[in-house]
């Protein structure tokens, strides 16, 4: 009953995941399928034992399912999970290596069976440990691959007369061994199987760490970083197709954080954060020209001075190379760039030292790809320069056309001033220093019907011609006027004011 209660509790975990993720996302993770099989198997076998219908095989199956429940802990521990995923990623190469090893098993097994099938047993041979059948021969070769008593069996099958029945080795009924065949086959199998193939299996597993488990600048790709990467990927691939379209590469790269962050500027220098840090407060002294709206330019410049420009240049170069390589990979497939390619690409730029992690042929291919990407980046720089020059000239031409249009509109609205030049200027003028004494003469003259009046003509021109009825006429220009200056000082002032020629005189 305790096992049944624990199995029911474990069943709640896959049920909650299924409700929250849906069938498509639920089945995409192999651990979820494993949980369902193990939990249902545990419940079924436990119920069969409780009801008394389970025999020996059911009990053994129950033990197996209960042990597999503990195996679920592997996905919770980062170290074990990393080793398991590395082994799973190596299954393809390991299967091919197993195929070659199995072929060697058959080859050496047939040789042993033909040479030592009738050989007399020694102290180490039993009914299960001998070479009298192919199946037993393969079993013997399997545990000899681990180095177990292989030298004892080698000497047992090198038995010769008089310790064997027939001294004539040419007869087929002889039970004597062969010293030459024994030493050759056993030593060859020991070297090939125990030393070469076991190390090949180890090398295949270790090789898969070259991309994922490479340490650089004290940064490692742990489980939390992978979960963060998967969350960002799910935002741009909601249908779980496993591919990212090339138009979504830029917003995808902008959302990455942690060891995969590839932004040009650090998080503290983003536009929104800089604006919040540079807001003007009531306690700050007001300085004209140093504040635009709520933005304090002094704070803004102070915040920008802390930016490492060399680091920003390096981050920009990394971002450009990463973007264009991802763009080239996305163009090679109509669906876009795959999840695995994007992850490996980010690891190349952020985690892996290619010179230490890659083999020679892989390094040469990587350098060829890097050269293509750099050529594409340089080409984009040149194209951007010419595009900038073109748009700058186009913008300046637009500003010039706009200024001309404004000047034309302003020229049509300003009235044109016309100064008559037919008559000579007045010989005398009025002393402007006595204007306040001649106020009565101005008022009397203004009331006179013959007094001049300033006006606009029908065509909008301001006419000041003396012959015009609308021209200005001043009594100061009359020599007989009582207000005419009489002393030399005022005469000099009048002459000074009248030297302007055919201009408007006061």
């Amino acid at each position: 009953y305790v096992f049944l209660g624990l199995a029911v509790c474990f069943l709640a975990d896959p049920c909650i995941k299924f409700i929250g993720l849906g069938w498509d996302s639920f089945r995409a993770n192999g651990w979820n399928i494993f949980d369902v099989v193990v939990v249902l198997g545990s419940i079924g076998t436990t119920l069969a034992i409780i009801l008394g219908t389970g025999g020996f095989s059911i009990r053994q199956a129950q033990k197996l399912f209960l042990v597999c429940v503990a195996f679920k802990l592997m996905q919770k521990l980062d170290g074990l999970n990393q080793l398991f995923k590395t082994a799973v990623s190596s299954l393809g190469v390991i299967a091919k290596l197993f195929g070659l090893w199995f072929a060697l098993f058959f080859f050496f097994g047939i040789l042993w069976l033909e040479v030592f099938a009738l050989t007399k047993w020694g102290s180490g041979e039993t009914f299960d440990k001998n070479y009298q059948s192919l199946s037993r021969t393969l079993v013997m070769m399997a545990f000899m691959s681990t180095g177990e008593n292989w030298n004892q069996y080698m000497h047992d099958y090198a038995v010769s007369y008089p310790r064997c029945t027939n001294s004539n080795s040419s007869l087929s009924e002889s039970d004597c061994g062969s010293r030459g065949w024994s030493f050759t086959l056993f030593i060859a199998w020991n070297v090939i199987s125990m030393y070469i193939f076991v190390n090949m299996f180890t090398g295949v597993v270790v090789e898969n760490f070259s991309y994922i488990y490479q340490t650089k600048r004290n940064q490692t790709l742990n489980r939390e970083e992978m979960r963060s990467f998967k969350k960002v990927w799910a935002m741009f691939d909601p249908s779980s197709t496993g591919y990212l379209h090339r138009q979504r590469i830029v917003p995808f790269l902008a959302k990455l954080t942690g060891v995969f962050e590839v932004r040009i500027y650090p998080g503290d220098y983003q536009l929104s954060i800089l604006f919040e840090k540079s807001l003007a407060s009531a306690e700050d002294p007001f300085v004209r020209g140093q504040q635009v709206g709520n933005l304090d330019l002094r704070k803004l410049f102070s915040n920008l001075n802390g930016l490492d420009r060399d680091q920003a240049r390096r981050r920009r170069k990394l971002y450009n190379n990463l973007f264009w390589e991802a763009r080239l990979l996305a163009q090679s497939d109509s669906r876009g760039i795959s999840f695995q390619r994007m992850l490996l690409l980010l690891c190349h730029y952020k985690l892996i030292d290619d010179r230490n992690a890659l083999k020679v042929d892989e390094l040469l291919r990587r350098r060829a790809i890097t050269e293509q990407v750099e050529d594409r980046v340089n080409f984009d720089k040149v194209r951007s320069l010419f595009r900038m020059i073109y748009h700058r000239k186009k913008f300046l031409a637009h500003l010039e056309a706009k200024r001309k249009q404004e000047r034309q509109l302003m020229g049509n609205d300003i009235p044109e001033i016309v100064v008559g030049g037919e008559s000579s200027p007045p010989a005398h003028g009025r002393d402007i220093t006595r204007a306040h004494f001649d106020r009565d003469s101005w008022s009397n003259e203004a009331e006179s019907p013959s007094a001049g009046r300033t006006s606009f003509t029908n065509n909008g021109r301001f006419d000041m011609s003396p012959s015009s009825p609308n021209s200005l006429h001043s009594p100061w220009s009359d020599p007989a006027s009582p207000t005419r200056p009489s002393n030399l000082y005022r005469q000099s002032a009048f002459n000074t004011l009248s030297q302007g020629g055919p201009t408007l005189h006061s």
Side-chain angles (χ1 to χ4, degrees):
Y1 291 102
V2 175
F3 291 152
L4 181 62
L6 293 175
V8 172
C9 293
F10 276 116
L11 183 60
D13 182 31
C15 290
I16 294 174
K17 289 181 179 179
F18 178 78
I19 296 173
L21 298 176
W23 171 244
D24 293 334
S25 299
F26 182 81
R27 69 176 181 177
N29 191 348
W31 284 109
N32 296 331
I33 306 299
F34 175 81
D35 293 343
V36 172
V37 173
V38 168
V39 172
L40 293 180
S42 300
I43 294 175
T45 54
T46 305
L47 286 175
I49 293 173
I50 292 175
L51 297 176
T53 59
F56 176 78
S57 59
I58 298 297
R59 292 181 181 277
Q60 296 300 318
Q62 183 203 24
K63 295 177 181 179
L64 176 62
F65 284 122
L66 293 177
V67 172
C68 290
V69 171
F71 193 70
K72 282 167 53 67
L73 297 175
M74 180 174 291
Q75 60 178 321
K76 303 299 181 182
L77 300 177
D78 293 339
L80 292 177
N81 189 38
Q82 183 71 30
L83 291 174
F84 179 77
K85 288 184 176 181
T86 304
V88 170
S89 63
S90 308
L91 286 180
V93 182
I94 289 177
K96 297 177 182 178
L97 195 58
F98 259 117
L100 178 59
W101 199 16
F102 195 66
L104 288 176
F105 261 89
F106 268 95
F107 175 74
F108 276 85
I110 294 173
L111 285 178
W112 256 301
L113 185 62
E114 292 293 331
V115 176
F116 301 120
L118 300 178
T119 303
K120 180 182 177 180
W121 292 355
S123 60
E125 286 75 29
T126 63
F127 284 99
D128 296 326
K129 298 178 181 180
N130 56 73
Y131 296 100
Q132 293 181 352
S133 65
L134 183 60
S135 59
R136 293 174 184 175
T137 302
L138 294 177
V139 173
M140 285 281 289
M141 294 171 62
F143 66 74
M144 279 195 305
S145 298
T146 63
E148 182 180 352
N149 291 333
W150 69 274
N151 52 348
Q152 180 182 357
Y153 300 134
M154 180 181 66
H155 289 288
D156 287 343
Y157 283 93
V159 61
S160 60
Y161 184 82
R163 290 184 296 174
C164 54
T165 304
N166 193 347
S167 61
N168 190 358
S169 59
S170 62
L171 298 177
S172 60
E173 301 297 331
S174 174
D175 62 351
C176 294
S178 174
R179 187 178 184 87
W181 277 107
S182 177
F183 279 44
T184 301
L185 290 178
F186 278 94
I187 292 175
W189 179 251
N190 182 60
V191 172
I192 293 175
S193 181
M194 187 172 68
Y195 288 101
I196 296 179
F197 270 88
V198 172
N199 287 305
M200 287 177 68
F201 280 110
T202 305
V204 167
V205 176
V206 172
E207 183 183 6
N208 287 271
F209 283 89
S210 61
Y211 286 111
I212 299 176
Y213 207 68
Q214 173 72 20
T215 303
K216 179 182 180 182
R217 298 178 183 178
N218 298 326
Q219 293 182 350
T220 55
L221 183 59
N222 53 32
R223 192 175 184 183
E224 296 301 325
E225 298 292 346
M226 281 300 304
R227 284 182 175 178
S228 177
F229 178 80
K230 290 180 180 179
K231 288 180 181 179
V232 177
W233 183 274
M235 295 171 57
F236 297 92
D237 185 21
S239 302
S240 300
T241 60
Y243 288 87
L244 184 69
H245 197 267
R246 62 181 183 179
Q247 295 180 352
R248 298 184 177 181
I249 293 177
V250 173
F252 172 78
L253 296 178
K255 289 289 185 178
L256 293 177
T257 57
V259 296
F260 290 134
E261 182 182 354
V262 292
R263 292 182 223 170
I264 298 177
Y265 301 103
D268 295 338
Y269 292 94
Q270 299 299 317
L271 183 59
S272 57
I273 299 178
L274 279 176
F275 185 79
E276 292 179 0
K277 290 183 178 180
S278 304
L279 289 177
S281 59
E283 293 79 7
D284 297 333
F286 177 78
V287 179
R288 183 180 298 275
Q290 296 296 326
Q291 184 171 339
V292 179
N294 296 329
L295 186 65
D296 192 339
L297 298 181
R298 292 170 298 176
K299 290 184 177 180
L300 178 61
F301 295 150
S302 176
N303 294 328
L304 290 177
N305 286 333
L307 178 64
D308 189 351
R309 292 172 174 80
D310 295 334
Q311 182 183 7
R313 294 188 187 98
R314 291 192 298 267
R315 293 167 70 103
R316 181 184 293 276
K317 181 180 179 181
L318 184 145
Y319 180 87
N320 290 334
N321 293 343
L322 174 63
F323 166 76
W324 281 111
E325 185 170 354
R327 186 71 178 270
L328 293 175
L329 291 175
Q331 289 177 353
S332 61
D333 193 338
S334 59
R335 295 172 296 180
I337 183 172
S338 64
F339 178 88
Q340 183 181 5
R341 282 191 170 186
M342 177 60 78
L343 181 60
L344 292 178
L345 190 61
L346 289 170
C347 290
H348 272 297
Y349 281 96
K350 298 293 292 184
L351 299 177
I352 295 176
D353 186 0
D354 293 339
R355 294 173 295 179
N356 298 329
L358 302 180
K359 296 184 293 185
V360 177
D361 55 341
E362 295 175 344
L363 182 60
L364 293 177
R365 288 196 298 268
R366 181 63 193 163
R367 286 185 176 179
I369 295 174
T370 304
E371 290 177 358
Q372 294 179 3
V373 173
E374 290 180 353
D375 292 341
R376 190 65 181 85
V377 171
N378 294 332
F379 174 77
D380 183 68
K381 289 181 180 179
V382 175
R383 185 179 64 176
S384 300
L385 175 62
F386 283 107
R387 186 181 297 173
M388 181 270 295
I389 295 173
Y390 167 75
H391 285 292
R392 181 177 181 274
K393 290 186 176 180
K394 187 176 180 180
F395 178 70
L396 294 177
H398 172 72
L399 290 181
E400 185 64 25
K402 187 176 180 181
R403 293 192 190 99
K404 288 182 179 180
Q405 185 178 5
E406 291 177 354
R407 286 195 296 266
Q408 291 177 359
L409 293 176
M410 293 177 61
N412 295 333
D413 295 338
I414 298 176
E416 184 178 357
I417 300 177
V418 178
V419 179
E422 297 178 356
S423 60
S424 60
H428 304 284
R430 182 185 177 190
D431 186 3
I432 60 175
T433 60
R434 294 182 53 85
H436 60 283
F437 295 109
D438 303 330
R439 191 173 302 164
D440 294 339
S441 62
W442 268 102
S443 61
N444 293 333
E445 190 70 23
E447 293 176 357
S448 173
S450 61
R453 184 175 58 186
T454 304
S455 63
F456 289 95
T457 60
N458 293 333
N459 58 1
R461 301 174 62 181
F462 188 70
D463 197 351
M464 298 181 64
S465 176
S467 60
S468 174
N470 296 325
S471 62
L472 289 175
H473 179 73
S474 174
W476 300 341
S477 60
D478 189 359
S481 175
T483 59
R484 179 175 177 268
S486 58
N487 56 59
L488 295 176
Y489 174 77
R490 288 179 174 81
Q491 183 65 33
S492 176
F494 168 77
N495 294 333
T496 302
L497 291 173
S498 61
Q499 289 177 358
T503 56
L504 180 63
H505 292 269
S506 299

Coordinates of all heavy atoms in Angstrom, one line a residue, residues 427-429 474-485:
A427 N 14.6 121.0 -49.7 CA 15.8 121.7 -49.4 C 16.0 121.9 -47.9 O 17.1 122.1 -47.5 CB 15.7 123.1 -50.1
H428 N 14.9 121.9 -47.2 CA 15.0 122.1 -45.8 C 14.2 121.0 -45.1 O 13.2 120.5 -45.6 CB 14.5 123.5 -45.4 CG 15.2 124.6 -46.0 ND1 16.5 125.0 -45.7 CD2 14.8 125.4 -47.1 CE1 16.8 126.0 -46.5 NE2 15.8 126.2 -47.4
G429 N 14.5 120.7 -43.9 CA 13.8 119.8 -43.1 C 13.4 120.3 -41.7 O 13.8 121.5 -41.4
S474 N 4.9 117.6 -45.2 CA 5.2 118.2 -43.9 C 5.4 119.7 -44.1 O 5.9 120.2 -45.1 CB 6.5 117.6 -43.4 OG 6.9 118.3 -42.2
P475 N 4.9 120.5 -43.2 CA 5.0 121.9 -43.2 C 6.4 122.3 -43.0 O 6.8 123.5 -43.2 CB 4.1 122.4 -42.1 CG 4.0 121.3 -41.1 CD 4.1 120.1 -42.0
W476 N 7.3 121.4 -42.5 CA 8.7 121.8 -42.3 C 9.5 122.1 -43.6 O 10.5 122.7 -43.6 CB 9.4 120.7 -41.5 CG 8.7 120.4 -40.2 CD1 7.9 121.3 -39.5 CD2 8.9 119.3 -39.4 NE1 7.4 120.7 -38.4 CE2 8.1 119.4 -38.2 CE3 9.6 118.1 -39.5 CZ2 7.9 118.5 -37.3 CZ3 9.5 117.2 -38.6 CH2 8.7 117.3 -37.4
S477 N 9.0 121.5 -44.6 CA 9.6 121.7 -45.9 C 9.3 123.0 -46.5 O 9.9 123.4 -47.5 CB 9.3 120.6 -46.9 OG 7.9 120.6 -47.1
D478 N 8.3 123.8 -46.0 CA 8.0 125.1 -46.5 C 8.9 126.1 -45.9 O 9.0 126.3 -44.7 CB 6.5 125.4 -46.1 CG 6.0 126.7 -46.8 OD1 6.8 127.3 -47.6 OD2 4.8 127.0 -46.6
P479 N 9.6 126.9 -46.7 CA 10.5 127.9 -46.2 C 9.8 129.0 -45.4 O 10.3 129.6 -44.6 CB 11.2 128.4 -47.4 CG 11.1 127.4 -48.5 CD 9.8 126.7 -48.2
A480 N 8.5 129.2 -45.8 CA 7.8 130.3 -45.1 C 7.1 129.9 -43.9 O 6.4 130.7 -43.2 CB 6.7 130.8 -46.1
S481 N 7.3 128.6 -43.5 CA 6.6 128.1 -42.3 C 7.2 128.8 -41.1 O 8.5 129.0 -41.0 CB 6.8 126.6 -42.2 OG 6.3 126.2 -41.0
P482 N 6.4 129.1 -40.1 CA 6.9 129.8 -38.9 C 7.7 128.8 -38.0 O 8.5 129.2 -37.1 CB 5.7 130.2 -38.1 CG 4.6 129.4 -38.6 CD 4.9 129.1 -40.1
T483 N 7.6 127.5 -38.3 CA 8.4 126.5 -37.5 C 9.7 126.2 -38.1 O 10.4 125.3 -37.7 CB 7.5 125.2 -37.4 OG1 7.3 124.7 -38.7 CG2 6.2 125.5 -36.7
R484 N 10.1 126.8 -39.2 CA 11.4 126.6 -39.9 C 12.5 126.9 -38.9 O 12.5 128.0 -38.4 CB 11.4 127.4 -41.1 CG 12.7 127.2 -41.9 CD 12.6 128.0 -43.2 NE 13.8 127.9 -44.0 CZ 14.8 128.8 -43.9 NH1 14.7 129.8 -43.0 NH2 15.9 128.6 -44.6
P485 N 13.6 126.1 -38.8 CA 14.7 126.4 -37.9 C 15.4 127.6 -38.4 O 15.6 127.8 -39.6 CB 15.6 125.2 -38.0 CG 14.7 124.1 -38.6 CD 13.7 124.8 -39.4

